[in-house]
Amino acid sequence: LGFKQCRKIGGSQIRSLLRAKDVFLFDCDGVLWNGEAAVTGAPKVLRTLLKHGKHVFFVTNNCTKLRENYAKKFSRLGFTGVRPEQIFSSSYCSALYLRDVARVQGQVFVIGGEGVRNELRQAGIPVVGDEDEAPDATIFHCGLASDVRAVLVGHDDKFTFLKLAKASCYLRNPECLFLATDADPWHPLPGERILPGSGCLSAALEVASGRKAMVIGKPSPFMFECISSQFSVDPAQCLMVGDRLETDMLFGSNCGLDTMLTLTGISHMKTAQEYKDCDHPANHSFVPDYVVDTIADFLPAFEE
Ligand code: PLP
Ligand code: CA
């Protein structure tokens, strides 16, 4: 069944693939840009796909911005004509899950930045966080709300021991849901530095609570369910393009989509090949169908 081939493609193979697919799902960081620098040619790729009537969606584990603000990043980096409705972020999808699937009654305790909080608020979900806590508050003397029905953990550059402690207390209640926007371990920064990701924070809370977080973002197929509940998309018509094997390629596999690894981000061809050659079948879900150096390799396919 659909064995992933990890095939490096170019020229005419890219051309026929782009003709065959109607819907393109793009991961953002590592595919369209790296931090604040657009991948060379990527804005033109997007423009060209849209000009040819392709449907384009963005699936990002970045939970730190409201979709509107993420759309501003697109235009700042030269990607024109992207509407917030095309952007499916891990914070927006978390809000949809809490509102439409879990239908939480009561408040949600959030570990995460303003982006996460505001997506929830926009969905009408009451949020409790640490913003109004006294600076010297400790878990021995702090307020705990009595109606917290879910804990949501995302990237939080103001993460504190107190937030971890409060969240662990809320999760003592087995009825309280435990969600993570995403479980990304780290993100690359310029100059060989890394940014620890949401996954570090949810891991800390998993240990303290003895529970496992339910992950909303990639590789969970929930993000694709969010897209297909709002737009008519046939999985067979979709291509998922990403740079991280353990999130993007697994996400595509989990959703039954053809997958493409682009080498402008985190994962290398060698690792994809190792997953392919590995005997353990679970690793085959990390293997892409196709590999390109950069999505800019799409451009010649549209030239006559
Ligand atoms: N989360 C945070 C906080 C990030 O900074 C990034 C990348 O910069 C991501 C997630 C990953 O985003 P994507 O899924 O678009 O690669
Ligand atoms: Ca990425």
Side-chain angles (χ1 to χ4, degrees), residues 26-35 58-65 70 73 88 90 154-156 181-182 184 186-189 195-198 218 223 240 242-244 247-248 266:
F26 287 104
D27 163 61
C28 298
D29 200 72
V31 174
L32 306 176
W33 56 67
N34 290 108
F58 305 96
V59 282
T60 177
N61 274 358
N62 194 325
C63 64
T64 63
K65 288 184 188 63
Y70 220 65
K73 174 164 188 171
F88 289 77
S90 56
H155 185 84
D156 189 344
T181 57
D182 61 276
D184 287 3
W186 54 271
H187 305 286
L189 291 177
L195 183 71
S198 308
K218 300 168 291 182
M223 270 186 166
M240 169 65 207
D243 72 309
R244 196 172 214 155
T247 51
D248 302 318
I266 291 171

Side-chain angles (χ1 to χ4, degrees), residues 81-100:
V82 173
R83 289 169 291 114
E85 296 74 38
Q86 291 167 281
I87 303 171
F88 289 77
S89 71
S90 56
S91 42
Y92 171 66
C93 295
S94 297
L96 292 183
Y97 185 87
L98 288 163
R99 190 189 66 191
D100 301 338

Side-chain angles (χ1 to χ4, degrees), residues 100-141:
D100 301 338
V101 181
R103 296 165 187 253
V104 283
Q105 310 285 322
Q107 303 198 84
V108 177
F109 182 78
V110 174
I111 293 178
E114 275 309 298
V116 185
R117 261 183 254 285
N118 287 334
E119 279 298 357
L120 264 52
R121 290 194 188 109
Q122 277 201 2
I125 298 163
V127 173
V128 52
D130 255 12
E131 53 271 29
D132 47 6
E133 199 66 72
D136 59 347
T138 71
I139 192 61
F140 299 100
H141 310 281

Side-chain angles (χ1 to χ4, degrees), residues 121-300:
R121 290 194 188 109
Q122 277 201 2
I125 298 163
V127 173
V128 52
D130 255 12
E131 53 271 29
D132 47 6
E133 199 66 72
D136 59 347
T138 71
I139 192 61
F140 299 100
H141 310 281
C142 70
L144 287 175
S146 61
D147 61 340
V148 168
R149 296 288 178 269
V151 169
L152 173 64
V153 186
H155 185 84
D156 189 344
D157 58 11
K158 300 203 171 53
F159 184 69
T160 63
F161 186 82
L162 183 58
K163 291 187 194 184
L164 176 63
K166 284 182 161 188
S168 332
C169 293
Y170 290 127
L171 289 175
R172 301 293 289 181
N173 174 2
E175 309 266 281
C176 182
L177 290 175
F178 180 11
L179 306 181
T181 57
D182 61 276
D184 287 3
W186 54 271
H187 305 286
L189 291 177
E192 304 294 303
R193 300 186 180 198
I194 64 163
L195 183 71
S198 308
C200 312
L201 310 185
S202 55
L205 189 51
E206 286 182 345
V207 174
S209 67
R211 297 176 52 176
K212 285 279 171 215
M214 180 192 154
V215 176
I216 297 291
K218 300 168 291 182
S220 156
F222 183 68
M223 270 186 166
F224 189 69
E225 291 168 26
C226 292
I227 296 177
S228 51
S229 73
Q230 297 179 18
F231 299 89
S232 84
V233 285
D234 172 5
Q237 292 295 319
C238 294
L239 182 69
M240 169 65 207
V241 186
D243 72 309
R244 196 172 214 155
L245 299 168
E246 297 80 3
T247 51
D248 302 318
M249 299 303 107
L250 181 56
F251 169 76
S253 302
N254 286 343
C255 303
L257 316 177
D258 281 357
T259 55
M260 175 185 275
L261 176 71
T262 171
L263 299 173
T264 47
I266 291 171
S267 295
H268 302 285
M269 180 67 164
K270 184 166 167 288
T271 318
Q273 200 63 50
E274 283 164 3
Y275 278 133
K276 181 170 188 263
D277 296 340
C278 177
D279 286 334
H280 198 68
N283 284 328
H284 295 172
S285 299
F286 299 130
V287 180
D289 290 293
Y290 309 104
V291 183
V292 295
D293 286 323
T294 158
I295 60 166
D297 292 352
F298 289 10
L299 290 172

